[in-house]
Amino acid sequence: MSRTTALQLIAAVITIAVLAVLHQGLDWFLSKASTDFMVGVMVGMFLVLLVWIYEDRKERRSRAVDGSGSAEQQGARHTIDL
């Protein structure tokens, strides 16, 4: 077995362990939370997604008008910062 394969297997095991811990923690947290809280979280996530889509489309339109390559790199930096 090559070194790359071994590292990928180790990364997969660590990822599965982290996801299992997150699943247990979120299950405990959400069982304690009220319905109003969960509805508020869902509405907040939906609004953030709408703003993100709006800003991304606005950025793409401005990039299409400018046509410069540096704007594409700047857009990628803004997405990473977000």
Side-chain angles (χ1 to χ4, degrees):
M1 183 172 8
S2 70
R3 176 186 163 124
T4 305
T5 305
L7 289 175
Q8 287 175 340
L9 288 173
I10 291 170
V13 169
I14 291 172
T15 301
I16 291 170
V18 167
L19 288 174
V21 169
L22 279 174
H23 181 268
Q24 293 296 322
L26 284 174
D27 183 42
W28 172 81
F29 179 74
L30 291 176
S31 69
K32 303 289 183 193
S34 69
T35 306
D36 290 342
F37 174 77
M38 287 190 276
V39 169
V41 167
M42 295 302 256
V43 168
M45 287 174 25
F46 180 71
L47 289 175
V48 167
L49 181 64
L50 283 179
V51 168
W52 189 336
I53 290 170
Y54 170 75
E55 290 296 326
D56 186 53
R57 287 184 183 208
K58 190 169 76 171
E59 180 72 25
R60 287 176 193 250
R61 270 188 258 124
S62 71
R63 237 186 293 146
V65 170
D66 294 341
S68 63
S70 65
E72 185 174 330
Q73 289 177 347
Q74 191 67 27
R77 289 187 189 124
H78 288 315
T79 302
I80 292 170
D81 290 343
L82 181 62

